[in-house]
Amino acid sequence: MKKIISILLVVLMMISITVPVHAKDTSQTDDNNKVLENANDLNEEENEYLGLFSPKGPSDSASTYSSGVIAAHLTRSGNTTGVDLILSWNGGFPIKAFRFTKLTVKSTNVLGQKIYATIYTGDYVVYRFTSGYHVYKTLKRITIPKDVTKVRVEVSSLMVQRSNEGDWLSGILKSATVTIK
């Protein structure tokens, strides 16, 4: 059974690798974004990364080559069912926006999986913020039962927009099991 699940997970990871596409900009901006002074403000050790991004192009030389990661964070508001869903960026180049076509938060139970939230389904939704090397963006407050401590976060067509170049980069994507803090 474990071998079947492992093979299934490998196939799903291979399917989730994306390529850049053109889409209409349905930007969403608000005041729930901040530039981190310290990348450790959101405890990266407890969270799995959703994407690894590396710019590769004719203008990128070996001396300027850098990469970055996007991680998902879930923070519970006291002893309630309200949980903030946050995406963070920690990278070697500044970005000014995330975009994706779908983000789903669901239970970690493979059999009888429960979906707690689906954020956007369709063309890209864009979340803009102040440019930075270490930033986070609160996407939405979702409802997750108090007894749930870990969830699975899956994202489709996740991309970042580089601040200086203005281009969109797609990355190696995967789903992540995230501990609710």
Side-chain angles (χ1 to χ4, degrees):
M1 181 70 174
K2 282 189 175 186
K3 192 171 190 171
I4 293 171
I5 292 173
S6 296
I7 292 171
L8 184 60
L9 289 174
V10 169
V11 170
L12 288 173
M13 283 184 66
M14 291 173 56
I15 292 171
S16 69
I17 296 174
T18 63
V19 294
V21 297
H22 297 286
K24 73 177 181 186
D25 184 356
T26 55
S27 298
Q28 292 187 2
T29 59
D30 61 26
D31 295 329
N32 287 335
N33 65 78
K34 298 179 182 175
V35 176
L36 297 180
E37 293 180 17
N38 181 347
N40 294 326
D41 287 355
L42 292 174
N43 189 355
E44 299 285 351
E45 295 170 10
E46 293 183 18
N47 296 286
E48 291 279 336
Y49 296 117
L50 290 175
L52 172 64
F53 299 83
S54 298
K56 294 179 182 177
S59 63
D60 296 319
S61 67
S63 62
T64 61
Y65 183 79
S66 60
S67 63
V69 293
I70 289 183
H73 310 271
L74 288 131
T75 306
R76 191 173 298 279
S77 179
N79 189 24
T80 69
T81 59
V83 177
D84 289 330
L85 172 60
I86 301 165
L87 291 185
S88 69
W89 167 259
N90 188 2
F93 54 90
I95 68 166
K96 60 183 178 181
F98 303 123
R99 76 179 180 187
F100 55 84
T101 57
K102 181 178 181 182
L103 189 143
T104 306
V105 180
K106 56 176 95 175
S107 65
T108 56
N109 184 359
V110 177
L111 301 173
Q113 206 165 51
K114 176 165 175 41
I115 296 176
Y116 298 116
T118 298
I119 299 175
Y120 206 73
T121 303
D123 290 338
Y124 282 100
V125 61
V126 179
Y127 291 90
R128 298 191 186 283
F129 40 82
T130 305
S131 174
Y133 291 88
H134 311 288
V135 297
Y136 70 91
K137 176 73 174 173
T138 301
L139 302 184
K140 185 176 185 177
R141 177 161 287 186
I142 60 178
T143 300
I144 299 177
K146 293 180 197 179
D147 62 333
V148 175
T149 59
K150 289 188 177 192
V151 295
R152 195 108 187 113
V153 178
E154 296 177 354
V155 66
S156 300
S157 303
L158 179 63
M159 301 179 84
V160 297
Q161 186 177 30
R162 291 197 288 180
S163 297
N164 299 332
E165 293 79 1
D167 57 341
W168 288 95
L169 299 176
S170 60
I172 299 170
L173 305 179
K174 64 179 191 129
S175 60
T177 299
V178 180
T179 301
I180 300 172
K181 295 188 264 178

